[in-house]
Amino acid sequence: MKIRPATERDRDAIWNIFREVVAAGDTYALNPNISREDALAYWFAPGAHTYVAELAAKNYHGSSLQRTSSIEGTYILRPNQSGGGLHVANAGFMVSASARGQGIGRAMAEHCLHEARRLGFRAMQFNYVISTNTAAIRLWQDLGFEIVGTLPSAFCHPDKGYVDVYVMYRSLVS
Amino acid sequence: MKIRPATERDRDAIWNIFREVVAAGDTYALNPNISREDALAYWFAPGAHTYVAELAAKNYHGSSLQRTSSIEGTYILRPNQSGGGLHVANAGFMVSASARGQGIGRAMAEHCLHEARRLGFRAMQFNYVISTNTAAIRLWQDLGFEIVGTLPSAFCHPDKGYVDVYVMYRSLVS
């Protein structure tokens, strides 16, 4: 797996992942019917650093083997606020449904923490971790994030109705 | 005091208040040198409801009395998130320095809670209440908001250095 900054040529692959994640409507508070243009404007907003996780793949065309790659994950890293809040990073992660359970989220998160330190951020904050997204919560806790706030019934889950949302935070300085 | 939806003609007055509040750099995590264009784009963003507090004033020109008015406060009300988070409102308040201590903030906050209910919001969240902004915190607590999260050292205060930030929340349904 290679995690690298996204380029213009990754936009189709990112949109495919984004559309799938947002359409499910259970992990992001975004319009499930967001347009491609709005989605990419959000993911490539000014000030955001956008990355992709590229997986090697082998494709057989008849008996000939082609080594190709596919984008199966993407994340953004950006300041969570401006002015006096510029030192705290925010990040968002998306993995294609077909590639889950392979550690892509964890690899991107570790890459992201490294990048955040490299860019000089002093802390990282997730503003909106939906309490039913237990895989994400476990991962963030494993990576040193703590739940520092609970927003009661702040998310309307497509199956479960109103559920709590967590704010998660970790320092990046010792 | 009259609190009413802002119009295009209020833009100069809003910018004067906005510039003053943001330049102080101690209550909002915004660029203290934000441009007029960016400030008004933020305050009149699509989906935001923008209001002003207009105060009656008496001006004497020689012996003739003129009844005029001036904009001394402004607030915005908007969904805090999209998709499954659309039912939670967010709001931001600004009062001109010269008009503080007259209850303009409280009057706008009460107006805002009424408007939020009228628009069908089920809760209101403040994402970023700087812990040194004790007047605001007292007011929000008095109006039923609770501190539901603490972001450690998330704001770099111009005088006090890194200080905590609170997330505050209140339900709008019984």
Side-chain angles (χ1 to χ4, degrees):
Chain A
M1 185 187 328
K2 182 179 172 186
I3 299 172
R4 58 164 177 79
T7 71
E8 285 295 312
R9 287 184 297 170
D10 300 317
R11 292 170 77 91
D12 284 342
I14 289 172
W15 166 234
N16 284 336
I17 299 171
F18 194 105
R19 177 171 47 180
E20 182 183 56
V21 167
V22 174
D26 57 351
T27 57
Y28 275 82
L30 292 170
N31 176 359
N33 302 311
I34 190 170
S35 70
R36 182 183 195 279
E37 185 186 355
D38 286 351
L40 291 174
Y42 172 73
W43 212 245
F44 286 90
H49 302 261
T50 310
Y51 302 83
V52 290
E54 193 167 20
L55 269 70
K58 294 176 183 174
N59 290 303
Y60 289 92
H61 288 273
S63 61
S64 98
L65 171 64
Q66 282 194 318
R67 293 182 191 278
T68 61
S69 68
S70 63
I71 305 293
E72 301 293 351
T74 180
Y75 83 87
I76 55 170
L77 171 62
R78 58 186 174 189
N80 197 42
Q81 303 283 347
S82 304
L86 266 175
H87 62 287
V88 180
N90 170 249
F93 299 84
M94 293 186 178
V95 177
S96 70
S98 61
R100 284 181 205 155
Q102 300 178 39
I104 299 173
R106 175 180 291 268
M108 290 197 299
E110 287 172 352
H111 188 274
C112 177
L113 286 168
H114 182 269
E115 284 291 279
R117 282 201 182 88
R118 188 180 68 78
L119 292 164
F121 288 109
R122 297 175 57 88
M124 189 176 293
Q125 179 176 335
F126 300 139
N127 302 304
Y128 206 85
V129 183
I130 297 162
S131 59
T132 50
N133 192 359
T134 50
I137 293 163
R138 267 198 302 268
L139 175 56
W140 306 145
Q141 286 176 328
D142 204 43
L143 292 172
F145 286 82
E146 288 175 28
I147 294 172
V148 296
T150 300
L151 314 171
S153 303
F155 183 70
C156 187
H157 189 284
D159 305 323
K160 297 170 184 166
Y162 293 109
V163 297
D164 292 351
V165 174
Y166 300 136
V167 180
M168 300 188 75
Y169 200 89
R170 74 156 285 180
S171 175
L172 298 176
V173 293
S174 58
Chain B
M1 186 187 328
K2 182 180 173 186
I3 299 172
R4 59 164 177 80
T7 70
E8 285 295 311
R9 286 183 299 169
D10 301 317
R11 292 170 77 91
D12 285 343
I14 289 172
W15 166 235
N16 284 336
I17 300 171
F18 194 106
R19 177 169 48 180
E20 182 183 55
V21 167
V22 173
D26 57 351
T27 57
Y28 275 82
L30 293 170
N31 176 0
N33 302 311
I34 191 170
S35 70
R36 182 183 195 277
E37 184 185 356
D38 286 350
L40 292 174
Y42 172 73
W43 213 246
F44 286 90
H49 302 262
T50 309
Y51 302 83
V52 291
E54 193 168 20
L55 270 70
K58 293 176 183 173
N59 290 304
Y60 290 90
H61 288 273
S63 62
S64 99
L65 171 64
Q66 283 193 318
R67 293 182 193 278
T68 61
S69 68
S70 63
I71 305 293
E72 301 293 352
T74 180
Y75 83 86
I76 55 170
L77 172 63
R78 58 186 173 187
N80 198 41
Q81 303 283 347
S82 304
L86 268 174
H87 62 288
V88 179
N90 170 249
F93 300 83
M94 293 185 177
V95 177
S96 70
S98 61
R100 284 181 206 155
Q102 299 179 39
I104 298 173
R106 175 180 291 268
M108 290 198 298
E110 288 171 350
H111 188 274
C112 176
L113 287 167
H114 182 270
E115 284 292 279
R117 283 201 181 87
R118 187 180 68 77
L119 292 165
F121 288 108
R122 296 176 59 88
M124 189 176 292
Q125 179 176 336
F126 300 138
N127 302 305
Y128 207 86
V129 183
I130 298 163
S131 59
T132 50
N133 192 359
T134 50
I137 294 163
R138 267 199 302 269
L139 175 56
W140 305 147
Q141 287 176 327
D142 204 43
L143 293 173
F145 286 82
E146 289 176 29
I147 294 172
V148 296
T150 300
L151 314 171
S153 303
F155 183 70
C156 187
H157 189 284
D159 305 323
K160 296 170 185 167
Y162 294 109
V163 298
D164 292 350
V165 173
Y166 300 136
V167 181
M168 300 189 74
Y169 200 90
R170 74 156 285 180
S171 175
L172 299 176
V173 292
S174 59

